[in-house]
Amino acid sequence: MTIIVTGGAGFIGANYIFYHLNQHPEDRIICIDKLTYAGNLSTLAPVMEKENFRFVKADICDRTAMEKVFSEEKPDAVINFAAESHVDRSIEDPSIFLQTNIIGTSVLMDCCRKDGLRFHQVSTDEVYGDLPLDRPDMLFTEETPIHTSSPYSSSKASADLLCSAYHRTYGLPVTISRCSNNYGPYQFPEKLIPLMVINALNGKPLPVYGEGLNVRDWLYVEDHCRAIDLILRNGRIGEVYNVGGHNEMRNIDIVKLIVKELGKGEITFVTDRKGHDLRYAIDPTKIKNELGWEPETKFADGIKKTISWYLEHKDWWEEIISGEYEKYYERMYGER
Ligand code: NAD
Ligand code: TDX
């Protein structure tokens, strides 16, 4: 199979490329990535020289560029990871989120339409909005109505709706996965876990929003990659699959765990995120029953592996935090 993977220079996309080429060395992957602030070519160094891998620097919104790659490569399938992915940045300025996450997805599906190519959309549990903190019995199922809170989640939900429309109207063979919070190697330092690890290592305060009581359902990135690969191969066309770890944790508990593991780090409570979703929790029964998927990495092991990775890959994140991220960090946390 020849597969176009968009956003492969980012966190989950890169982990997916490593996973896929390891599991299916007979396949060919073409990674399309615009290399925004979140994309890092050095992340892909381990696969760059492989014969069955090609990197194309391009914007998924650029129709001409997309049509060119599709006609050159004649792919069998597309997995769309490319997105603006950080909620806080979407609160600062939604416009690029609408452009990349909505328009970009429709351009890719237009390229798939002519030949009826298989299209998988990597979506998020955030499209369901949030759940109350005091109702542990409530979980997101695939039937939960879409009810978004942030410009980011609204843009992802809009893309999901377009995917369903392309399936119904044009018969495009589409699937959608909605995953909970991922963690693991190569995650950009603006996200909770790498931010806290790197700040602790650099002697900077660990900025917890509000009282740190918001709950997220954490999944090790490789488990997410395995779920996507299964859906691509065996998922039912036109279906949505929730992917989650049954691993709900309060932010404050995650941060305390990181402090404990590293033996350093000073927690500081800062102004809450606007519209901050209270709790995410996924019911993964459908993907378990239909595709036999279950998370394999326990959080206690995954977080240790992740922290070790950041300790061993200082070069990777030091380069990143000295670039555009420095200005972003100052805007977000500078005066706190
Ligand atoms: P990321 O921000 O780390 O990476 C995004 C990648 O997309 C970067 O390499 C960036 O350069 C690229 N990109 C951005 N705009 C582009 C454009 N217009 N054209 C081409 N490339 C572009 O994101 P991530 O955390 O790896 O998330 C990947 C996908 O998974 C996203 O669609 C996100 O919504 C979804 N998701 C993420 C999580 C999570 O916890 N991180 C959970 C569920 C779903
Ligand atoms: O400095 C911080 N302090 C803090 O308390 C940051 C950056 C975050 N937080 C809190 C906000 C959230 O409750 O930690 C939690 C996790 O925050 P993020 O890492 O920004 O993730 P989240 O907003 O939950 O969204 C993530 O999961 C779903 C990804 O960024 C999305 O791309 C994905 O769709």
Side-chain angles (χ1 to χ4, degrees):
M1 262 210 294
T2 297
I3 299 171
I4 287 184
V5 170
T6 69
F11 165 46
I12 308 175
N15 277 284
Y16 183 82
I17 290 170
F18 302 151
Y19 176 86
H20 190 113
L21 289 177
N22 197 26
Q23 295 292 317
H24 311 288
E26 69 286 4
D27 285 353
R28 172 172 165 77
I29 288 189
I30 294 96
C31 170
I32 299 178
D33 198 297
K34 186 183 173 184
L35 297 180
T36 68
Y37 79 91
N40 193 335
L41 208 47
S42 73
T43 301
L44 290 170
V47 293
M48 221 42 156
E49 300 305 322
K50 281 185 182 280
E51 277 187 5
N52 55 346
F53 178 78
R54 178 183 169 201
F55 179 80
V56 179
K57 182 177 186 302
D59 186 336
I60 59 165
C61 304
D62 181 343
R63 197 172 285 275
T64 310
M66 291 307 104
E67 282 170 354
K68 183 166 179 282
V69 183
F70 276 71
S71 79
E72 281 169 3
E73 294 291 347
K74 311 216 171 350
D76 300 293
V78 176
I79 308 177
N80 184 28
F81 292 91
E84 288 293 332
S85 70
H86 193 40
V87 173
D88 291 318
R89 290 187 191 248
S90 83
I91 294 168
E92 267 194 330
D93 183 2
S95 56
I96 187 70
F97 286 72
L98 310 187
Q99 186 63 24
T100 287
N101 299 2
I102 308 174
I103 304 298
T105 303
S106 75
V107 168
L108 290 171
M109 288 195 292
D110 283 339
C111 292
C112 290
R113 260 170 60 191
K114 193 165 57 80
D115 299 315
L117 303 181
R118 182 78 174 78
F119 185 83
H120 181 74
Q121 174 69 358
V122 181
S123 185
T124 167
D125 59 357
E126 297 198 18
V127 301
Y128 299 121
D130 61 355
L131 296 163
L133 290 174
D134 60 354
R135 288 290 306 275
D137 57 307
M138 288 176 76
L139 302 171
F140 295 138
T141 73
E142 289 81 359
E143 313 309 321
T144 303
I146 284 182
H147 186 80
T148 54
S149 313
S150 69
Y152 163 71
S153 56
S154 306
S155 69
K156 293 294 290 186
S158 305
D160 285 12
L161 293 176
L162 275 174
C163 290
S164 304
Y166 273 63
H167 172 60
R168 165 103 185 224
T169 306
Y170 305 115
L172 195 70
V174 168
T175 44
I176 298 172
S177 53
R178 294 184 179 146
C179 190
S180 58
N181 285 58
N182 283 213
Y183 69 100
Y186 299 107
Q187 187 166 29
F188 195 83
E190 67 195 349
K191 306 284 165 55
L192 180 76
I193 290 179
L195 175 80
M196 297 300 165
V197 173
I198 290 170
N199 275 17
L201 293 176
N202 284 342
K204 288 194 174 183
L206 314 189
V208 172
Y209 296 161
E211 296 176 70
L213 301 179
N214 303 58
V215 170
R216 298 291 183 266
D217 179 356
W218 294 92
L219 184 72
Y220 192 63
V221 62
E222 200 175 276
D223 280 325
H224 185 189
C225 296
R226 190 162 38 82
I228 292 171
D229 186 35
L230 275 172
I231 297 168
L232 186 71
R233 277 155 212 274
N234 305 324
R236 281 189 295 136
I237 298 304
E239 293 290 315
V240 172
Y241 291 90
N242 282 356
V243 184
H246 272 312
N247 182 59
E248 290 180 54
M249 291 184 72
R250 300 188 310 178
N251 294 337
I252 187 66
D253 296 327
I254 298 254
V255 179
K256 281 182 176 165
L257 187 65
I258 291 170
V259 171
K260 193 168 155 223
E261 284 290 330
L262 287 173
K264 56 179 156 186
E266 198 181 305
I267 295 172
T268 168
F269 293 94
V270 300
T271 314
D272 209 351
R273 174 183 280 173
K274 287 191 178 83
H276 197 172
D277 279 335
L278 293 173
R279 171 176 164 249
Y280 304 145
I282 282 277
D283 177 354
T285 307
K286 179 173 173 179
I287 189 167
K288 184 180 175 204
N289 289 348
E290 287 191 16
L291 303 178
W293 178 90
E294 277 189 283
E296 283 177 0
T297 301
K298 290 196 174 64
F299 188 78
D301 300 329
I303 192 75
K304 281 200 177 82
K305 270 202 277 188
T306 303
I307 291 174
S308 298
W309 188 88
Y310 280 91
L311 284 168
E312 287 158 16
H313 291 80
K314 241 181 147 186
D315 288 357
W316 183 86
W317 54 261
E318 273 186 339
E319 192 189 320
I320 288 174
I321 64 173
S322 64
E324 185 270 356
Y325 180 69
E326 204 168 25
K327 287 195 188 70
Y328 168 78
Y329 190 91
E330 272 170 31
R331 287 201 306 277
M332 279 295 293
Y333 307 102
E335 288 166 20
R336 286 168 170 155

mmCIF file of all heavy atoms in Angstrom, residues 57-71:
data_model
loop_
_atom_site.group_PDB
_atom_site.id
_atom_site.type_symbol
_atom_site.label_atom_id
_atom_site.label_comp_id
_atom_site.label_asym_id
_atom_site.label_seq_id
_atom_site.Cartn_x
_atom_site.Cartn_y
_atom_site.Cartn_z
ATOM 1 N N LYS A 57 7.375 18.926 1.664
ATOM 2 C CA LYS A 57 7.000 20.106 2.450
ATOM 3 C C LYS A 57 5.899 20.855 1.694
ATOM 4 O O LYS A 57 6.137 21.397 0.605
ATOM 5 C CB LYS A 57 8.221 21.026 2.646
ATOM 6 C CG LYS A 57 7.929 22.263 3.497
ATOM 7 C CD LYS A 57 9.197 23.083 3.700
ATOM 8 C CE LYS A 57 9.039 24.240 4.632
ATOM 9 N NZ LYS A 57 8.045 25.251 4.327
ATOM 10 N N ALA A 58 4.701 20.821 2.217
ATOM 11 C CA ALA A 58 3.580 21.495 1.550
ATOM 12 C C ALA A 58 2.446 21.697 2.537
ATOM 13 O O ALA A 58 2.351 21.030 3.569
ATOM 14 C CB ALA A 58 3.095 20.662 0.367
ATOM 15 N N ASP A 59 1.566 22.642 2.158
ATOM 16 C CA ASP A 59 0.405 22.991 2.976
ATOM 17 C C ASP A 59 -0.794 22.191 2.466
ATOM 18 O O ASP A 59 -1.083 22.217 1.258
ATOM 19 C CB ASP A 59 0.167 24.511 2.802
ATOM 20 C CG ASP A 59 -0.928 25.047 3.700
ATOM 21 O OD1 ASP A 59 -1.810 24.269 4.113
ATOM 22 O OD2 ASP A 59 -0.902 26.262 3.969
ATOM 23 N N ILE A 60 -1.508 21.517 3.347
ATOM 24 C CA ILE A 60 -2.667 20.733 2.884
ATOM 25 C C ILE A 60 -3.778 21.615 2.315
ATOM 26 O O ILE A 60 -4.672 21.124 1.642
ATOM 27 C CB ILE A 60 -3.242 19.799 3.993
ATOM 28 C CG1 ILE A 60 -3.688 20.587 5.234
ATOM 29 C CG2 ILE A 60 -2.251 18.706 4.359
ATOM 30 C CD1 ILE A 60 -4.581 19.793 6.177
ATOM 31 N N CYS A 61 -3.710 22.922 2.560
ATOM 32 C CA CYS A 61 -4.714 23.827 1.978
ATOM 33 C C CYS A 61 -4.373 24.207 0.533
ATOM 34 O O CYS A 61 -5.200 24.810 -0.164
ATOM 35 C CB CYS A 61 -4.822 25.109 2.800
ATOM 36 S SG CYS A 61 -5.203 24.829 4.522
ATOM 37 N N ASP A 62 -3.150 23.898 0.103
ATOM 38 C CA ASP A 62 -2.677 24.276 -1.231
ATOM 39 C C ASP A 62 -3.130 23.201 -2.234
ATOM 40 O O ASP A 62 -2.469 22.177 -2.422
ATOM 41 C CB ASP A 62 -1.147 24.409 -1.185
ATOM 42 C CG ASP A 62 -0.546 24.819 -2.521
ATOM 43 O OD1 ASP A 62 -1.233 24.698 -3.556
ATOM 44 O OD2 ASP A 62 0.629 25.238 -2.518
ATOM 45 N N ARG A 63 -4.241 23.475 -2.889
ATOM 46 C CA ARG A 63 -4.873 22.480 -3.763
ATOM 47 C C ARG A 63 -3.936 22.027 -4.891
ATOM 48 O O ARG A 63 -3.838 20.828 -5.184
ATOM 49 C CB ARG A 63 -6.153 23.106 -4.356
ATOM 50 C CG ARG A 63 -7.137 22.146 -4.934
ATOM 51 C CD ARG A 63 -8.432 22.863 -5.298
ATOM 52 N NE ARG A 63 -9.237 23.201 -4.147
ATOM 53 C CZ ARG A 63 -10.113 22.370 -3.565
ATOM 54 N NH1 ARG A 63 -10.297 21.166 -4.054
ATOM 55 N NH2 ARG A 63 -10.819 22.752 -2.526
ATOM 56 N N THR A 64 -3.232 22.986 -5.493
ATOM 57 C CA THR A 64 -2.350 22.623 -6.608
ATOM 58 C C THR A 64 -1.241 21.695 -6.135
ATOM 59 O O THR A 64 -0.949 20.671 -6.763
ATOM 60 C CB THR A 64 -1.725 23.916 -7.217
ATOM 61 O OG1 THR A 64 -2.797 24.825 -7.447
ATOM 62 C CG2 THR A 64 -0.981 23.642 -8.487
ATOM 63 N N ALA A 65 -0.666 22.045 -4.983
ATOM 64 C CA ALA A 65 0.426 21.209 -4.449
ATOM 65 C C ALA A 65 -0.098 19.816 -4.095
ATOM 66 O O ALA A 65 0.567 18.807 -4.361
ATOM 67 C CB ALA A 65 1.033 21.874 -3.215
ATOM 68 N N MET A 66 -1.301 19.766 -3.520
ATOM 69 C CA MET A 66 -1.862 18.456 -3.145
ATOM 70 C C MET A 66 -2.138 17.615 -4.394
ATOM 71 O O MET A 66 -1.803 16.436 -4.445
ATOM 72 C CB MET A 66 -3.148 18.619 -2.322
ATOM 73 C CG MET A 66 -2.942 19.185 -0.927
ATOM 74 S SD MET A 66 -1.720 18.287 0.059
ATOM 75 C CE MET A 66 -0.342 19.384 -0.015
ATOM 76 N N GLU A 67 -2.740 18.250 -5.418
ATOM 77 C CA GLU A 67 -3.060 17.487 -6.641
ATOM 78 C C GLU A 67 -1.789 16.927 -7.272
ATOM 79 O O GLU A 67 -1.767 15.803 -7.771
ATOM 80 C CB GLU A 67 -3.812 18.378 -7.636
ATOM 81 C CG GLU A 67 -5.281 18.536 -7.233
ATOM 82 C CD GLU A 67 -6.027 19.596 -8.022
ATOM 83 O OE1 GLU A 67 -5.382 20.313 -8.823
ATOM 84 O OE2 GLU A 67 -7.256 19.721 -7.807
ATOM 85 N N LYS A 68 -0.718 17.719 -7.189
ATOM 86 C CA LYS A 68 0.568 17.262 -7.758
ATOM 87 C C LYS A 68 1.070 16.006 -7.023
ATOM 88 O O LYS A 68 1.423 15.014 -7.670
ATOM 89 C CB LYS A 68 1.585 18.407 -7.662
ATOM 90 C CG LYS A 68 2.933 18.107 -8.270
ATOM 91 C CD LYS A 68 3.750 19.396 -8.430
ATOM 92 C CE LYS A 68 5.128 19.123 -9.028
ATOM 93 N NZ LYS A 68 6.091 18.603 -8.104
ATOM 94 N N VAL A 69 1.083 16.058 -5.696
ATOM 95 C CA VAL A 69 1.574 14.884 -4.945
ATOM 96 C C VAL A 69 0.692 13.663 -5.211
ATOM 97 O O VAL A 69 1.190 12.558 -5.414
ATOM 98 C CB VAL A 69 1.600 15.145 -3.415
ATOM 99 C CG1 VAL A 69 2.181 13.959 -2.667
ATOM 100 C CG2 VAL A 69 2.384 16.397 -3.071
ATOM 101 N N PHE A 70 -0.620 13.876 -5.232
ATOM 102 C CA PHE A 70 -1.525 12.741 -5.458
ATOM 103 C C PHE A 70 -1.294 12.141 -6.843
ATOM 104 O O PHE A 70 -1.310 10.924 -6.998
ATOM 105 C CB PHE A 70 -2.997 13.169 -5.310
ATOM 106 C CG PHE A 70 -3.477 13.165 -3.874
ATOM 107 C CD1 PHE A 70 -3.032 14.111 -2.964
ATOM 108 C CD2 PHE A 70 -4.378 12.214 -3.422
ATOM 109 C CE1 PHE A 70 -3.468 14.114 -1.634
ATOM 110 C CE2 PHE A 70 -4.828 12.197 -2.106
ATOM 111 C CZ PHE A 70 -4.378 13.153 -1.211
ATOM 112 N N SER A 71 -1.094 13.003 -7.856
ATOM 113 C CA SER A 71 -0.927 12.423 -9.197
ATOM 114 C C SER A 71 0.451 11.769 -9.337
ATOM 115 O O SER A 71 0.592 10.767 -10.030
ATOM 116 C CB SER A 71 -1.194 13.464 -10.287
ATOM 117 O OG SER A 71 -0.073 14.287 -10.444
#
